[in-house]
Amino acid sequence: MSNFSLAGKVAIVTGGSRGIGRSIALGFAEAGADVVIASRTAADVERTVDEVKGRGQRALGVPIDISRSADISALVSATLETFGRIDVLVNNAGISPVFSRALKLSEDDWNRILAVNLTGAFLACQAVGRVMTEQRAGKIINIASIGATSGLPRFTAYCAAKGGLLQVTRVLAQEWAEYNVQVNAIAPGYVETDMTSGLQDNPRLLDEIIFRTPMRRLGKPDEFVGAALLLASESSSYITGHILYVDGGWSAA
Ligand code: NAP
């Protein structure tokens, strides 16, 4: 099991304060990593920082908006100042604020979704990738979606962003292979988090999704820890450019 250990490693989890990111951050702490939590709401960030510390690891909270490049630079600087290295980046911060047919999607909403889910994630890869290629080691995990490869009606911008993030993953995996930096993606199906609270409150929509999911239920945030640990640890030393679906079988259909 030592291949799954993160002892001595430093991991940044964007959007690590809630939902899937929080579960991954706490799972990494239990595997021995020191963890940096980076999301917008300072109080949520601090709460998860305390939970990481409660697991015996060091933690740093950096309130950032991933759609601002200056915030990403500040995140990398603060992490290096505190811990001196970055071994793992989980690009998990994401939004899905609209459920709207393409003809009604506003340009502002399109831009906002792309700015967080694609541009922000890429700029974080780039800023952290500079550190990792220099240190000749690193693991990047981009949290995509089943919408990266399936067209989900009413999620045009979200699917475009996640599909783009998948392609970023594949390109960076090749460009940074020679530096021993592995870049992979996890594609969640529908998961019980704040992001899906609207659909969880809509019985008709929820039934449709459950019917379409072979395992006949939504995922839970803790069910992402195993996949993330695989892709963050030495266990994945020969895996790069891969998309790992954690979706209750959705993508098999
Ligand atoms: P969530 O519960 O809504 O949590 C989102 C996290 O991202 C929070 O920590 C949030 O904190 C942070 N965040 C949002 N906008 C940000 C920004 N501009 N800058 C920095 N941090 C930001 O969402 P989740 O369901 O756990 O989703 C996590 C990831 O999985 C996302 O990339 C999402 O697209 C993906 N995903 C989720 C599902 C699902 O069904 N839940 C399905 C497929 C893919 P603040 O709001 O305080 O910033």
Side-chain angles (χ1 to χ4, degrees), residues 15 17-20 39-41 64-66 92 143-144 158 162 188-191 193 195-196:
S17 62
R18 294 190 277 117
I20 294 171
S39 343
R40 290 168 303 178
T41 312
I64 65 153
D65 184 335
I66 199 79
N92 165 82
I143 306 298
Y158 185 82
K162 295 297 188 179
Y190 288 90
V191 186
T193 66
M195 182 176 280
T196 55

mmCIF file with all atom_site columns, all heavy atoms in Angstrom, residues 15 17-20 39-41 64-66 92 143-144 158 162 188-191 193 195-196, ligand 1:
data_model
loop_
_atom_site.group_PDB
_atom_site.id
_atom_site.type_symbol
_atom_site.label_atom_id
_atom_site.label_alt_id
_atom_site.label_comp_id
_atom_site.label_asym_id
_atom_site.label_entity_id
_atom_site.label_seq_id
_atom_site.pdbx_PDB_ins_code
_atom_site.Cartn_x
_atom_site.Cartn_y
_atom_site.Cartn_z
_atom_site.occupancy
_atom_site.B_iso_or_equiv
_atom_site.pdbx_formal_charge
_atom_site.auth_seq_id
_atom_site.auth_comp_id
_atom_site.auth_asym_id
_atom_site.auth_atom_id
_atom_site.pdbx_PDB_model_num
ATOM   1   N N   . GLY A 1 15  ? -11.121 24.773 -5.138  1.00 0.00 ? 15  GLY A N   1
ATOM   2   C CA  . GLY A 1 15  ? -12.493 24.381 -4.792  1.00 0.00 ? 15  GLY A CA  1
ATOM   3   C C   . GLY A 1 15  ? -12.491 23.309 -3.714  1.00 0.00 ? 15  GLY A C   1
ATOM   4   O O   . GLY A 1 15  ? -13.378 22.453 -3.667  1.00 0.00 ? 15  GLY A O   1
ATOM   5   N N   . SER A 1 17  ? -12.955 23.568 -0.552  1.00 0.00 ? 17  SER A N   1
ATOM   6   C CA  . SER A 1 17  ? -13.674 23.881 0.688   1.00 0.00 ? 17  SER A CA  1
ATOM   7   C C   . SER A 1 17  ? -14.953 23.076 0.856   1.00 0.00 ? 17  SER A C   1
ATOM   8   O O   . SER A 1 17  ? -15.415 22.883 1.977   1.00 0.00 ? 17  SER A O   1
ATOM   9   C CB  . SER A 1 17  ? -14.015 25.374 0.715   1.00 0.00 ? 17  SER A CB  1
ATOM   10  O OG  . SER A 1 17  ? -14.860 25.710 -0.360  1.00 0.00 ? 17  SER A OG  1
ATOM   11  N N   . ARG A 1 18  ? -15.533 22.634 -0.250  1.00 0.00 ? 18  ARG A N   1
ATOM   12  C CA  . ARG A 1 18  ? -16.857 21.963 -0.186  1.00 0.00 ? 18  ARG A CA  1
ATOM   13  C C   . ARG A 1 18  ? -16.876 20.804 -1.177  1.00 0.00 ? 18  ARG A C   1
ATOM   14  O O   . ARG A 1 18  ? -16.016 20.705 -2.049  1.00 0.00 ? 18  ARG A O   1
ATOM   15  C CB  . ARG A 1 18  ? -17.961 22.940 -0.604  1.00 0.00 ? 18  ARG A CB  1
ATOM   16  C CG  . ARG A 1 18  ? -18.164 24.099 0.325   1.00 0.00 ? 18  ARG A CG  1
ATOM   17  C CD  . ARG A 1 18  ? -19.419 24.878 -0.037  1.00 0.00 ? 18  ARG A CD  1
ATOM   18  N NE  . ARG A 1 18  ? -19.224 25.852 -1.098  1.00 0.00 ? 18  ARG A NE  1
ATOM   19  C CZ  . ARG A 1 18  ? -19.821 25.819 -2.288  1.00 0.00 ? 18  ARG A CZ  1
ATOM   20  N NH1 . ARG A 1 18  ? -20.655 24.848 -2.600  1.00 0.00 ? 18  ARG A NH1 1
ATOM   21  N NH2 . ARG A 1 18  ? -19.599 26.763 -3.194  1.00 0.00 ? 18  ARG A NH2 1
ATOM   22  N N   . GLY A 1 19  ? -17.896 19.966 -1.058  1.00 0.00 ? 19  GLY A N   1
ATOM   23  C CA  . GLY A 1 19  ? -18.210 18.972 -2.087  1.00 0.00 ? 19  GLY A CA  1
ATOM   24  C C   . GLY A 1 19  ? -17.077 18.001 -2.387  1.00 0.00 ? 19  GLY A C   1
ATOM   25  O O   . GLY A 1 19  ? -16.393 17.511 -1.487  1.00 0.00 ? 19  GLY A O   1
ATOM   26  N N   . ILE A 1 20  ? -16.901 17.724 -3.668  1.00 0.00 ? 20  ILE A N   1
ATOM   27  C CA  . ILE A 1 20  ? -15.912 16.734 -4.107  1.00 0.00 ? 20  ILE A CA  1
ATOM   28  C C   . ILE A 1 20  ? -14.504 17.159 -3.694  1.00 0.00 ? 20  ILE A C   1
ATOM   29  O O   . ILE A 1 20  ? -13.699 16.344 -3.219  1.00 0.00 ? 20  ILE A O   1
ATOM   30  C CB  . ILE A 1 20  ? -16.001 16.566 -5.650  1.00 0.00 ? 20  ILE A CB  1
ATOM   31  C CG1 . ILE A 1 20  ? -17.359 15.950 -6.032  1.00 0.00 ? 20  ILE A CG1 1
ATOM   32  C CG2 . ILE A 1 20  ? -14.854 15.727 -6.170  1.00 0.00 ? 20  ILE A CG2 1
ATOM   33  C CD1 . ILE A 1 20  ? -17.648 15.951 -7.536  1.00 0.00 ? 20  ILE A CD1 1
ATOM   34  N N   . SER A 1 39  ? -10.401 28.345 -2.465  1.00 0.00 ? 39  SER A N   1
ATOM   35  C CA  . SER A 1 39  ? -11.709 28.693 -3.049  1.00 0.00 ? 39  SER A CA  1
ATOM   36  C C   . SER A 1 39  ? -12.052 30.113 -2.632  1.00 0.00 ? 39  SER A C   1
ATOM   37  O O   . SER A 1 39  ? -11.291 30.726 -1.873  1.00 0.00 ? 39  SER A O   1
ATOM   38  C CB  . SER A 1 39  ? -12.834 27.773 -2.600  1.00 0.00 ? 39  SER A CB  1
ATOM   39  O OG  . SER A 1 39  ? -12.416 26.595 -2.041  1.00 0.00 ? 39  SER A OG  1
ATOM   40  N N   . ARG A 1 40  ? -13.213 30.624 -3.057  1.00 0.00 ? 40  ARG A N   1
ATOM   41  C CA  . ARG A 1 40  ? -13.499 32.047 -2.830  1.00 0.00 ? 40  ARG A CA  1
ATOM   42  C C   . ARG A 1 40  ? -13.897 32.375 -1.397  1.00 0.00 ? 40  ARG A C   1
ATOM   43  O O   . ARG A 1 40  ? -13.468 33.383 -0.848  1.00 0.00 ? 40  ARG A O   1
ATOM   44  C CB  . ARG A 1 40  ? -14.633 32.507 -3.775  1.00 0.00 ? 40  ARG A CB  1
ATOM   45  C CG  . ARG A 1 40  ? -14.224 32.584 -5.225  1.00 0.00 ? 40  ARG A CG  1
ATOM   46  C CD  . ARG A 1 40  ? -15.433 32.758 -6.112  1.00 0.00 ? 40  ARG A CD  1
ATOM   47  N NE  . ARG A 1 40  ? -16.399 31.677 -5.919  1.00 0.00 ? 40  ARG A NE  1
ATOM   48  C CZ  . ARG A 1 40  ? -17.562 31.572 -6.528  1.00 0.00 ? 40  ARG A CZ  1
ATOM   49  N NH1 . ARG A 1 40  ? -17.935 32.519 -7.371  1.00 0.00 ? 40  ARG A NH1 1
ATOM   50  N NH2 . ARG A 1 40  ? -18.361 30.552 -6.303  1.00 0.00 ? 40  ARG A NH2 1
ATOM   51  N N   . THR A 1 41  ? -14.737 31.561 -0.781  1.00 0.00 ? 41  THR A N   1
ATOM   52  C CA  . THR A 1 41  ? -15.346 31.942 0.496   1.00 0.00 ? 41  THR A CA  1
ATOM   53  C C   . THR A 1 41  ? -14.415 31.610 1.667   1.00 0.00 ? 41  THR A C   1
ATOM   54  O O   . THR A 1 41  ? -14.228 30.424 2.012   1.00 0.00 ? 41  THR A O   1
ATOM   55  C CB  . THR A 1 41  ? -16.695 31.215 0.659   1.00 0.00 ? 41  THR A CB  1
ATOM   56  O OG1 . THR A 1 41  ? -17.448 31.372 -0.557  1.00 0.00 ? 41  THR A OG1 1
ATOM   57  C CG2 . THR A 1 41  ? -17.490 31.776 1.829   1.00 0.00 ? 41  THR A CG2 1
ATOM   58  N N   . ILE A 1 64  ? -9.184  32.378 -3.050  1.00 0.00 ? 64  ILE A N   1
ATOM   59  C CA  . ILE A 1 64  ? -8.918  32.877 -4.411  1.00 0.00 ? 64  ILE A CA  1
ATOM   60  C C   . ILE A 1 64  ? -10.155 32.716 -5.284  1.00 0.00 ? 64  ILE A C   1
ATOM   61  O O   . ILE A 1 64  ? -11.015 31.877 -5.016  1.00 0.00 ? 64  ILE A O   1
ATOM   62  C CB  . ILE A 1 64  ? -7.763  32.114 -5.109  1.00 0.00 ? 64  ILE A CB  1
ATOM   63  C CG1 . ILE A 1 64  ? -8.143  30.637 -5.353  1.00 0.00 ? 64  ILE A CG1 1
ATOM   64  C CG2 . ILE A 1 64  ? -6.463  32.246 -4.359  1.00 0.00 ? 64  ILE A CG2 1
ATOM   65  C CD1 . ILE A 1 64  ? -7.437  30.013 -6.512  1.00 0.00 ? 64  ILE A CD1 1
ATOM   66  N N   . ASP A 1 65  ? -10.177 33.511 -6.344  1.00 0.00 ? 65  ASP A N   1
ATOM   67  C CA  . ASP A 1 65  ? -11.118 33.290 -7.444  1.00 0.00 ? 65  ASP A CA  1
ATOM   68  C C   . ASP A 1 65  ? -10.284 32.773 -8.607  1.00 0.00 ? 65  ASP A C   1
ATOM   69  O O   . ASP A 1 65  ? -9.441  33.489 -9.144  1.00 0.00 ? 65  ASP A O   1
ATOM   70  C CB  . ASP A 1 65  ? -11.825 34.605 -7.801  1.00 0.00 ? 65  ASP A CB  1
ATOM   71  C CG  . ASP A 1 65  ? -12.881 34.408 -8.880  1.00 0.00 ? 65  ASP A CG  1
ATOM   72  O OD1 . ASP A 1 65  ? -12.752 33.432 -9.663  1.00 0.00 ? 65  ASP A OD1 1
ATOM   73  O OD2 . ASP A 1 65  ? -13.803 35.231 -8.953  1.00 0.00 ? 65  ASP A OD2 1
ATOM   74  N N   . ILE A 1 66  ? -10.517 31.537 -8.993  1.00 0.00 ? 66  ILE A N   1
ATOM   75  C CA  . ILE A 1 66  ? -9.689  30.872 -10.008 1.00 0.00 ? 66  ILE A CA  1
ATOM   76  C C   . ILE A 1 66  ? -9.783  31.575 -11.372 1.00 0.00 ? 66  ILE A C   1
ATOM   77  O O   . ILE A 1 66  ? -8.923  31.389 -12.232 1.00 0.00 ? 66  ILE A O   1
ATOM   78  C CB  . ILE A 1 66  ? -10.084 29.372 -10.120 1.00 0.00 ? 66  ILE A CB  1
ATOM   79  C CG1 . ILE A 1 66  ? -8.992  28.538 -10.786 1.00 0.00 ? 66  ILE A CG1 1
ATOM   80  C CG2 . ILE A 1 66  ? -11.390 29.193 -10.875 1.00 0.00 ? 66  ILE A CG2 1
ATOM   81  C CD1 . ILE A 1 66  ? -7.857  28.176 -9.943  1.00 0.00 ? 66  ILE A CD1 1
ATOM   82  N N   . ASN A 1 92  ? -10.143 21.427 -9.248  1.00 0.00 ? 92  ASN A N   1
ATOM   83  C CA  . ASN A 1 92  ? -11.514 20.981 -8.973  1.00 0.00 ? 92  ASN A CA  1
ATOM   84  C C   . ASN A 1 92  ? -12.528 22.128 -8.962  1.00 0.00 ? 92  ASN A C   1
ATOM   85  O O   . ASN A 1 92  ? -13.725 21.903 -9.145  1.00 0.00 ? 92  ASN A O   1
ATOM   86  C CB  . ASN A 1 92  ? -11.507 20.248 -7.617  1.00 0.00 ? 92  ASN A CB  1
ATOM   87  C CG  . ASN A 1 92  ? -12.880 20.045 -7.047  1.00 0.00 ? 92  ASN A CG  1
ATOM   88  O OD1 . ASN A 1 92  ? -13.590 19.111 -7.421  1.00 0.00 ? 92  ASN A OD1 1
ATOM   89  N ND2 . ASN A 1 92  ? -13.287 20.931 -6.142  1.00 0.00 ? 92  ASN A ND2 1
ATOM   90  N N   . ILE A 1 143 ? -10.535 17.933 -12.720 1.00 0.00 ? 143 ILE A N   1
ATOM   91  C CA  . ILE A 1 143 ? -11.872 17.369 -12.511 1.00 0.00 ? 143 ILE A CA  1
ATOM   92  C C   . ILE A 1 143 ? -12.756 17.840 -13.663 1.00 0.00 ? 143 ILE A C   1
ATOM   93  O O   . ILE A 1 143 ? -13.140 19.014 -13.739 1.00 0.00 ? 143 ILE A O   1
ATOM   94  C CB  . ILE A 1 143 ? -12.462 17.787 -11.144 1.00 0.00 ? 143 ILE A CB  1
ATOM   95  C CG1 . ILE A 1 143 ? -11.490 17.432 -10.000 1.00 0.00 ? 143 ILE A CG1 1
ATOM   96  C CG2 . ILE A 1 143 ? -13.821 17.102 -10.949 1.00 0.00 ? 143 ILE A CG2 1
ATOM   97  C CD1 . ILE A 1 143 ? -11.178 15.954 -9.813  1.00 0.00 ? 143 ILE A CD1 1
ATOM   98  N N   . ALA A 1 144 ? -13.027 16.913 -14.559 1.00 0.00 ? 144 ALA A N   1
ATOM   99  C CA  . ALA A 1 144 ? -13.844 17.213 -15.743 1.00 0.00 ? 144 ALA A CA  1
ATOM   100 C C   . ALA A 1 144 ? -15.295 16.870 -15.418 1.00 0.00 ? 144 ALA A C   1
ATOM   101 O O   . ALA A 1 144 ? -15.831 17.294 -14.390 1.00 0.00 ? 144 ALA A O   1
ATOM   102 C CB  . ALA A 1 144 ? -13.313 16.449 -16.941 1.00 0.00 ? 144 ALA A CB  1
ATOM   103 N N   . TYR A 1 158 ? -21.073 24.557 -20.064 1.00 0.00 ? 158 TYR A N   1
ATOM   104 C CA  . TYR A 1 158 ? -20.426 23.629 -19.128 1.00 0.00 ? 158 TYR A CA  1
ATOM   105 C C   . TYR A 1 158 ? -19.748 22.488 -19.892 1.00 0.00 ? 158 TYR A C   1
ATOM   106 O O   . TYR A 1 158 ? -18.589 22.150 -19.635 1.00 0.00 ? 158 TYR A O   1
ATOM   107 C CB  . TYR A 1 158 ? -21.486 23.094 -18.165 1.00 0.00 ? 158 TYR A CB  1
ATOM   108 C CG  . TYR A 1 158 ? -20.944 22.221 -17.056 1.00 0.00 ? 158 TYR A CG  1
ATOM   109 C CD1 . TYR A 1 158 ? -20.401 22.780 -15.902 1.00 0.00 ? 158 TYR A CD1 1
ATOM   110 C CD2 . TYR A 1 158 ? -20.986 20.834 -17.149 1.00 0.00 ? 158 TYR A CD2 1
ATOM   111 C CE1 . TYR A 1 158 ? -19.915 21.985 -14.883 1.00 0.00 ? 158 TYR A CE1 1
ATOM   112 C CE2 . TYR A 1 158 ? -20.509 20.024 -16.140 1.00 0.00 ? 158 TYR A CE2 1
ATOM   113 C CZ  . TYR A 1 158 ? -19.972 20.603 -15.002 1.00 0.00 ? 158 TYR A CZ  1
ATOM   114 O OH  . TYR A 1 158 ? -19.482 19.801 -13.994 1.00 0.00 ? 158 TYR A OH  1
ATOM   115 N N   . LYS A 1 162 ? -15.751 21.681 -20.055 1.00 0.00 ? 162 LYS A N   1
ATOM   116 C CA  . LYS A 1 162 ? -15.210 20.409 -19.570 1.00 0.00 ? 162 LYS A CA  1
ATOM   117 C C   . LYS A 1 162 ? -14.566 19.605 -20.712 1.00 0.00 ? 162 LYS A C   1
ATOM   118 O O   . LYS A 1 162 ? -13.565 18.921 -20.512 1.00 0.00 ? 162 LYS A O   1
ATOM   119 C CB  . LYS A 1 162 ? -16.299 19.595 -18.873 1.00 0.00 ? 162 LYS A CB  1
ATOM   120 C CG  . LYS A 1 162 ? -16.825 20.246 -17.582 1.00 0.00 ? 162 LYS A CG  1
ATOM   121 C CD  . LYS A 1 162 ? -15.744 20.373 -16.517 1.00 0.00 ? 162 LYS A CD  1
ATOM   122 C CE  . LYS A 1 162 ? -16.325 20.825 -15.186 1.00 0.00 ? 162 LYS A CE  1
ATOM   123 N NZ  . LYS A 1 162 ? -15.305 20.925 -14.121 1.00 0.00 ? 162 LYS A NZ  1
ATOM   124 N N   . PRO A 1 188 ? -16.568 12.993 -13.173 1.00 0.00 ? 188 PRO A N   1
ATOM   125 C CA  . PRO A 1 188 ? -17.696 12.564 -12.330 1.00 0.00 ? 188 PRO A CA  1
ATOM   126 C C   . PRO A 1 188 ? -18.997 12.487 -13.126 1.00 0.00 ? 188 PRO A C   1
ATOM   127 O O   . PRO A 1 188 ? -19.224 13.268 -14.057 1.00 0.00 ? 188 PRO A O   1
ATOM   128 C CB  . PRO A 1 188 ? -17.811 13.690 -11.279 1.00 0.00 ? 188 PRO A CB  1
ATOM   129 C CG  . PRO A 1 188 ? -16.543 14.486 -11.374 1.00 0.00 ? 188 PRO A CG  1
ATOM   130 C CD  . PRO A 1 188 ? -16.092 14.337 -12.803 1.00 0.00 ? 188 PRO A CD  1
ATOM   131 N N   . GLY A 1 189 ? -19.857 11.559 -12.692 1.00 0.00 ? 189 GLY A N   1
ATOM   132 C CA  . GLY A 1 189 ? -21.261 11.619 -13.102 1.00 0.00 ? 189 GLY A CA  1
ATOM   133 C C   . GLY A 1 189 ? -21.956 12.592 -12.171 1.00 0.00 ? 189 GLY A C   1
ATOM   134 O O   . GLY A 1 189 ? -21.324 13.495 -11.610 1.00 0.00 ? 189 GLY A O   1
ATOM   135 N N   . TYR A 1 190 ? -23.263 12.426 -11.980 1.00 0.00 ? 190 TYR A N   1
ATOM   136 C CA  . TYR A 1 190 ? -23.993 13.321 -11.069 1.00 0.00 ? 190 TYR A CA  1
ATOM   137 C C   . TYR A 1 190 ? -23.697 12.936 -9.616  1.00 0.00 ? 190 TYR A C   1
ATOM   138 O O   . TYR A 1 190 ? -23.743 11.758 -9.258  1.00 0.00 ? 190 TYR A O   1
ATOM   139 C CB  . TYR A 1 190 ? -25.491 13.250 -11.340 1.00 0.00 ? 190 TYR A CB  1
ATOM   140 C CG  . TYR A 1 190 ? -25.876 13.937 -12.636 1.00 0.00 ? 190 TYR A CG  1
ATOM   141 C CD1 . TYR A 1 190 ? -25.910 13.243 -13.842 1.00 0.00 ? 190 TYR A CD1 1
ATOM   142 C CD2 . TYR A 1 190 ? -26.172 15.298 -12.651 1.00 0.00 ? 190 TYR A CD2 1
ATOM   143 C CE1 . TYR A 1 190 ? -26.247 13.884 -15.029 1.00 0.00 ? 190 TYR A CE1 1
ATOM   144 C CE2 . TYR A 1 190 ? -26.505 15.943 -13.834 1.00 0.00 ? 190 TYR A CE2 1
ATOM   145 C CZ  . TYR A 1 190 ? -26.542 15.234 -15.019 1.00 0.00 ? 190 TYR A CZ  1
ATOM   146 O OH  . TYR A 1 190 ? -26.863 15.861 -16.195 1.00 0.00 ? 190 TYR A OH  1
ATOM   147 N N   . VAL A 1 191 ? -23.375 13.954 -8.797  1.00 0.00 ? 191 VAL A N   1
ATOM   148 C CA  . VAL A 1 191 ? -22.911 13.720 -7.430  1.00 0.00 ? 191 VAL A CA  1
ATOM   149 C C   . VAL A 1 191 ? -23.733 14.586 -6.463  1.00 0.00 ? 191 VAL A C   1
ATOM   150 O O   . VAL A 1 191 ? -24.107 15.720 -6.799  1.00 0.00 ? 191 VAL A O   1
ATOM   151 C CB  . VAL A 1 191 ? -21.411 14.096 -7.300  1.00 0.00 ? 191 VAL A CB  1
ATOM   152 C CG1 . VAL A 1 191 ? -20.880 13.706 -5.925  1.00 0.00 ? 191 VAL A CG1 1
ATOM   153 C CG2 . VAL A 1 191 ? -20.587 13.439 -8.406  1.00 0.00 ? 191 VAL A CG2 1
ATOM   154 N N   . THR A 1 193 ? -23.904 17.098 -4.222  1.00 0.00 ? 193 THR A N   1
ATOM   155 C CA  . THR A 1 193 ? -23.180 18.255 -3.670  1.00 0.00 ? 193 THR A CA  1
ATOM   156 C C   . THR A 1 193 ? -24.074 19.483 -3.820  1.00 0.00 ? 193 THR A C   1
ATOM   157 O O   . THR A 1 193 ? -25.158 19.419 -4.418  1.00 0.00 ? 193 THR A O   1
ATOM   158 C CB  . THR A 1 193 ? -21.868 18.516 -4.448  1.00 0.00 ? 193 THR A CB  1
ATOM   159 O OG1 . THR A 1 193 ? -22.207 18.913 -5.783  1.00 0.00 ? 193 THR A OG1 1
ATOM   160 C CG2 . THR A 1 193 ? -20.964 17.305 -4.482  1.00 0.00 ? 193 THR A CG2 1
ATOM   161 N N   . MET A 1 195 ? -23.658 21.740 -5.854  1.00 0.00 ? 195 MET A N   1
ATOM   162 C CA  . MET A 1 195 ? -23.819 22.039 -7.280  1.00 0.00 ? 195 MET A CA  1
ATOM   163 C C   . MET A 1 195 ? -25.089 21.423 -7.856  1.00 0.00 ? 195 MET A C   1
ATOM   164 O O   . MET A 1 195 ? -25.701 21.975 -8.774  1.00 0.00 ? 195 MET A O   1
ATOM   165 C CB  . MET A 1 195 ? -22.595 21.536 -8.060  1.00 0.00 ? 195 MET A CB  1
ATOM   166 C CG  . MET A 1 195 ? -22.637 21.841 -9.529  1.00 0.00 ? 195 MET A CG  1
ATOM   167 S SD  . MET A 1 195 ? -21.148 21.357 -10.409 1.00 0.00 ? 195 MET A SD  1
ATOM   168 C CE  . MET A 1 195 ? -20.055 22.697 -10.013 1.00 0.00 ? 195 MET A CE  1
ATOM   169 N N   . THR A 1 196 ? -25.489 20.282 -7.317  1.00 0.00 ? 196 THR A N   1
ATOM   170 C CA  . THR A 1 196 ? -26.658 19.586 -7.876  1.00 0.00 ? 196 THR A CA  1
ATOM   171 C C   . THR A 1 196 ? -27.892 19.736 -6.980  1.00 0.00 ? 196 THR A C   1
ATOM   172 O O   . THR A 1 196 ? -28.861 18.991 -7.134  1.00 0.00 ? 196 THR A O   1
ATOM   173 C CB  . THR A 1 196 ? -26.359 18.085 -8.070  1.00 0.00 ? 196 THR A CB  1
ATOM   174 O OG1 . THR A 1 196 ? -25.926 17.543 -6.816  1.00 0.00 ? 196 THR A OG1 1
ATOM   175 C CG2 . THR A 1 196 ? -25.296 17.850 -9.118  1.00 0.00 ? 196 THR A CG2 1
HETATM 176 P P1  . NAP B 2 .   ? -19.592 22.420 -5.226  1.00 0.00 ? 1   NAP B P1  1
HETATM 177 O O1  . NAP B 2 .   ? -20.062 21.571 -4.102  1.00 0.00 ? 1   NAP B O1  1
HETATM 178 O O2  . NAP B 2 .   ? -20.458 23.514 -5.738  1.00 0.00 ? 1   NAP B O2  1
HETATM 179 O O3  . NAP B 2 .   ? -18.164 23.032 -4.796  1.00 0.00 ? 1   NAP B O3  1
HETATM 180 C C1  . NAP B 2 .   ? -17.481 23.840 -5.710  1.00 0.00 ? 1   NAP B C1  1
HETATM 181 C C2  . NAP B 2 .   ? -16.182 24.287 -5.091  1.00 0.00 ? 1   NAP B C2  1
HETATM 182 O O4  . NAP B 2 .   ? -15.507 25.161 -6.015  1.00 0.00 ? 1   NAP B O4  1
HETATM 183 C C3  . NAP B 2 .   ? -16.398 25.099 -3.821  1.00 0.00 ? 1   NAP B C3  1
HETATM 184 O O5  . NAP B 2 .   ? -15.297 24.900 -2.965  1.00 0.00 ? 1   NAP B O5  1
HETATM 185 C C4  . NAP B 2 .   ? -16.422 26.528 -4.341  1.00 0.00 ? 1   NAP B C4  1
HETATM 186 O O6  . NAP B 2 .   ? -16.149 27.448 -3.295  1.00 0.00 ? 1   NAP B O6  1
HETATM 187 C C5  . NAP B 2 .   ? -15.316 26.450 -5.405  1.00 0.00 ? 1   NAP B C5  1
HETATM 188 N N1  . NAP B 2 .   ? -15.398 27.490 -6.430  1.00 0.00 ? 1   NAP B N1  1
HETATM 189 C C6  . NAP B 2 .   ? -16.456 27.815 -7.209  1.00 0.00 ? 1   NAP B C6  1
HETATM 190 N N2  . NAP B 2 .   ? -16.144 28.837 -8.018  1.00 0.00 ? 1   NAP B N2  1
HETATM 191 C C7  . NAP B 2 .   ? -14.852 29.166 -7.742  1.00 0.00 ? 1   NAP B C7  1
HETATM 192 C C8  . NAP B 2 .   ? -13.971 30.139 -8.233  1.00 0.00 ? 1   NAP B C8  1
HETATM 193 N N3  . NAP B 2 .   ? -14.336 31.021 -9.182  1.00 0.00 ? 1   NAP B N3  1
HETATM 194 N N4  . NAP B 2 .   ? -12.713 30.200 -7.736  1.00 0.00 ? 1   NAP B N4  1
HETATM 195 C C9  . NAP B 2 .   ? -12.315 29.329 -6.762  1.00 0.00 ? 1   NAP B C9  1
HETATM 196 N N5  . NAP B 2 .   ? -13.112 28.378 -6.264  1.00 0.00 ? 1   NAP B N5  1
HETATM 197 C C10 . NAP B 2 .   ? -14.364 28.303 -6.735  1.00 0.00 ? 1   NAP B C10 1
HETATM 198 O O7  . NAP B 2 .   ? -19.220 21.542 -6.501  1.00 0.00 ? 1   NAP B O7  1
HETATM 199 P P2  . NAP B 2 .   ? -18.869 19.995 -6.670  1.00 0.00 ? 1   NAP B P2  1
HETATM 200 O O8  . NAP B 2 .   ? -20.105 19.317 -7.082  1.00 0.00 ? 1   NAP B O8  1
HETATM 201 O O9  . NAP B 2 .   ? -18.091 19.504 -5.530  1.00 0.00 ? 1   NAP B O9  1
HETATM 202 O O10 . NAP B 2 .   ? -17.964 20.090 -7.982  1.00 0.00 ? 1   NAP B O10 1
HETATM 203 C C11 . NAP B 2 .   ? -16.560 19.969 -7.946  1.00 0.00 ? 1   NAP B C11 1
HETATM 204 C C12 . NAP B 2 .   ? -16.057 19.756 -9.367  1.00 0.00 ? 1   NAP B C12 1
HETATM 205 O O11 . NAP B 2 .   ? -16.651 18.568 -9.893  1.00 0.00 ? 1   NAP B O11 1
HETATM 206 C C13 . NAP B 2 .   ? -16.445 20.890 -10.333 1.00 0.00 ? 1   NAP B C13 1
HETATM 207 O O12 . NAP B 2 .   ? -15.386 21.126 -11.232 1.00 0.00 ? 1   NAP B O12 1
HETATM 208 C C14 . NAP B 2 .   ? -17.629 20.319 -11.062 1.00 0.00 ? 1   NAP B C14 1
HETATM 209 O O13 . NAP B 2 .   ? -17.797 20.895 -12.330 1.00 0.00 ? 1   NAP B O13 1
HETATM 210 C C15 . NAP B 2 .   ? -17.266 18.867 -11.130 1.00 0.00 ? 1   NAP B C15 1
HETATM 211 N N6  . NAP B 2 .   ? -18.428 17.995 -11.347 1.00 0.00 ? 1   NAP B N6  1
HETATM 212 C C16 . NAP B 2 .   ? -19.428 17.947 -10.412 1.00 0.00 ? 1   NAP B C16 1
HETATM 213 C C17 . NAP B 2 .   ? -20.526 17.128 -10.663 1.00 0.00 ? 1   NAP B C17 1
HETATM 214 C C18 . NAP B 2 .   ? -21.674 17.016 -9.682  1.00 0.00 ? 1   NAP B C18 1
HETATM 215 O O14 . NAP B 2 .   ? -22.673 16.353 -10.013 1.00 0.00 ? 1   NAP B O14 1
HETATM 216 N N7  . NAP B 2 .   ? -21.601 17.598 -8.487  1.00 0.00 ? 1   NAP B N7  1
HETATM 217 C C19 . NAP B 2 .   ? -20.601 16.394 -11.841 1.00 0.00 ? 1   NAP B C19 1
HETATM 218 C C20 . NAP B 2 .   ? -19.556 16.466 -12.750 1.00 0.00 ? 1   NAP B C20 1
HETATM 219 C C21 . NAP B 2 .   ? -18.469 17.276 -12.488 1.00 0.00 ? 1   NAP B C21 1
HETATM 220 P P3  . NAP B 2 .   ? -16.609 28.984 -3.394  1.00 0.00 ? 1   NAP B P3  1
HETATM 221 O O15 . NAP B 2 .   ? -17.986 29.002 -3.959  1.00 0.00 ? 1   NAP B O15 1
HETATM 222 O O16 . NAP B 2 .   ? -16.502 29.489 -1.990  1.00 0.00 ? 1   NAP B O16 1
HETATM 223 O O17 . NAP B 2 .   ? -15.595 29.627 -4.287  1.00 0.00 ? 1   NAP B O17 1
#
